Amino acid sequence: MKTTHPFSPAHFEFDRELIERLDGSGPRYTSYPTADRFTPGFSAHDYQHGLQQRRIGANRKPLSLYAHIPFCNTVCYYCACNKIITKNKSKADQYLDYLEKEILLVAEQLGCREKVIQLHFGGGTPTFLDDGQLARLMTMLGTHFEFLSDGEYSIEIDPRKVKRETMFRLAEYGFNRISVGVQDFDPAVQRAVNRVQSEQETRQVIAAGREAGMKSVSLDLIYGLPLQSRDSMLRTLEKAIALDPDRLALYNYAHLPTVFMPQRRINEADLPSAAAKLDILQDAVKMLSDAGYVFIGMDHFAKPDDELAVALRQGRLQRNFQGYSTHADCDMLAFGVSSIGKVGSSYSQNDKMLEGYYAALDEGRLPVVRGLTLDKDDVLRRTIIQGLMCRFSLSIEAIEDIYAINFAQYFAAEMPQIREFQQQGLLSFDGDFLMVEPKGRFLIRNIAMIFDRHLRERRTHARYSKTI
């Protein structure tokens, strides 16, 4: 019986021929089952039950909190987020009134001032809020939750809308990480997606954040945008690396104009071809690796001493609705319109429409409109998918012991696909360990899909982004 395996998370191989052959669409697995499996049969009552289970001590690990701020001053044409375009700051005041109601309702169910280890403000544009509004939201949360001194508290930043002073205010409020949206530095690409942002604005925000004491700076880039070329993206990557971010995300643009209306403003003739996108990705992987960044997984890179890279080496990496994380095993309480949370073995999502969100809270109800309680099979498959996507290996013995199954028998329907991927060099499987090989690292979503029962049984009609 094997007790160790030779996997090294530092090893990966960009097998272009294999990537092209297995090109397809699939979930990102920020949850399993994925959000398209949520049903309206899951109600606010079910969410309350999960919160009450925490209250009686079923799971008292520190919490992760997420707050969704949906407002943006302008629309970015590539965006697939739930957002509200407005320049009226008073709308944010009203929104905070309702966030306060939701936070109070949740806190009442918990029954005590619970500890928090992770916080993330996403959007939309969280920095649409002015300094006073941000302070108000942090005070609201701090009234009902205790933020631990060693926690990870992050916020998404739009450099076009943030003053230097705001970065210092954010540090005072407790934030220690910033995620800076860049997407592309090329002016032509910026105009094509309606997000014109100077290099100086980005540099100034990052410099101010570091001066204010932020522990980590992350940059977000997107490849596959209109008018991008191999050469233009190389220049963007050079500028991004020169900014010395601790983490860098390189997202694959998913053009789904029938699903996301702003994308209809993009001229499809300007989009790079599939081959050009692979050129860009291949160049980016080499550039970032040569610059010393560690490939975490999918579209994330980090410096070797970053917590994500350390967690990857130590086998502690996890994944949640914000992507790769070191705290994904926490229950996540999500506040705000459309936000998705996890409590115990259930997921819940708030109303996506502001009117419905407000109406529920006016009636004294939590604004949950759908979700899912996982069954035993879901929990098992979630463990396997998390293990493959975060640790790139799976101990068969551990799975069999924890879930009292015979792996080969339970997953008999999946074994042909496992063997096929094994023959293609993506996986190795010896009965003791299922391991992702170096050339499988870039196709990890394809590998995870093997164990997605809902996808295999065609219980969803969702449209997914390309797996790479």
Side-chain angles (χ1 to χ4, degrees), residues 409-425:
Q409 292 177 3
Y410 194 96
F411 294 106
E414 288 79 7
M415 291 307 295
Q417 185 69 67
I418 291 173
R419 294 191 187 98
E420 181 180 340
F421 277 7
Q422 188 173 8
Q423 291 171 357
Q424 293 173 333

Side-chain angles (χ1 to χ4, degrees), residues 133-204:
Q133 290 166 335
L134 284 165
R136 179 187 172 194
L137 179 51
M138 288 302 293
T139 298
M140 286 156 45
L141 291 169
T143 299
H144 300 287
F145 300 97
E146 178 186 349
F147 289 89
L148 299 176
S149 60
D150 59 344
E152 180 179 297
Y153 309 126
S154 63
I155 183 170
E156 297 171 9
I157 300 289
D158 181 349
R160 302 171 300 169
K161 308 300 178 186
V162 176
K163 297 178 181 178
R164 170 184 166 82
E165 294 76 16
T166 296
M167 302 308 297
F168 287 85
R169 298 291 86 76
L170 291 173
E172 290 175 7
Y173 304 152
F175 289 99
N176 52 29
R177 295 178 179 273
I178 55 173
S179 177
V180 181
V182 174
Q183 323 320 339
D184 195 304
F185 281 118
D186 187 275
V189 176
Q190 291 181 354
R191 288 191 295 271
V193 297
N194 198 41
R195 186 189 174 99
V196 177
Q197 174 179 320
S198 71
E199 295 174 43
Q200 183 179 8
E201 287 173 318
T202 303
R203 282 197 302 269
Q204 288 176 340

Side-chain angles (χ1 to χ4, degrees), residues 118-318:
Q118 186 179 51
L119 169 71
H120 185 77
F121 283 7
T125 306
T127 48
F128 177 91
L129 302 182
D130 62 31
D131 291 358
Q133 290 166 335
L134 284 165
R136 179 187 172 194
L137 179 51
M138 288 302 293
T139 298
M140 286 156 45
L141 291 169
T143 299
H144 300 287
F145 300 97
E146 178 186 349
F147 289 89
L148 299 176
S149 60
D150 59 344
E152 180 179 297
Y153 309 126
S154 63
I155 183 170
E156 297 171 9
I157 300 289
D158 181 349
R160 302 171 300 169
K161 308 300 178 186
V162 176
K163 297 178 181 178
R164 170 184 166 82
E165 294 76 16
T166 296
M167 302 308 297
F168 287 85
R169 298 291 86 76
L170 291 173
E172 290 175 7
Y173 304 152
F175 289 99
N176 52 29
R177 295 178 179 273
I178 55 173
S179 177
V180 181
V182 174
Q183 323 320 339
D184 195 304
F185 281 118
D186 187 275
V189 176
Q190 291 181 354
R191 288 191 295 271
V193 297
N194 198 41
R195 186 189 174 99
V196 177
Q197 174 179 320
S198 71
E199 295 174 43
Q200 183 179 8
E201 287 173 318
T202 303
R203 282 197 302 269
Q204 288 176 340
V205 160
I206 291 174
R210 287 183 169 136
E211 188 178 345
M214 296 294 172
K215 290 169 51 179
S216 176
V217 174
S218 176
L219 286 189
D220 290 347
L221 302 178
I222 299 177
Y223 72 98
L225 293 175
L227 300 182
Q228 269 182 352
S229 68
R230 195 171 186 175
D231 288 340
S232 74
M233 197 59 181
L234 283 172
R235 291 191 293 271
T236 284
L237 284 162
E238 288 172 353
K239 293 172 181 177
I241 291 170
L243 291 170
D244 197 31
D246 302 281
R247 300 176 185 177
L248 193 147
L250 182 64
Y251 296 112
N252 179 5
Y253 171 61
H255 189 62
L256 300 170
T258 59
V259 180
F260 305 112
M261 289 185 63
Q263 295 184 359
R264 298 174 191 176
R265 304 186 190 185
I266 288 177
N267 183 358
E268 293 190 5
D270 291 336
L271 293 172
S273 66
K277 287 179 70 175
L278 269 185
D279 287 338
I280 291 170
L281 177 61
Q282 192 167 6
D283 290 343
V285 170
K286 184 179 187 308
M287 281 190 70
L288 291 168
S289 298
D290 289 347
Y293 285 88
V294 175
F295 176 50
I296 302 299
M298 286 180 57
D299 35 37
H300 282 65
F301 298 80
K303 288 183 176 180
D305 59 350
D306 183 86
E307 290 180 7
L308 282 184
V310 174
L312 175 64
R313 289 195 298 272
Q314 296 178 348
R316 297 184 294 102
L317 190 67
Q318 298 173 56

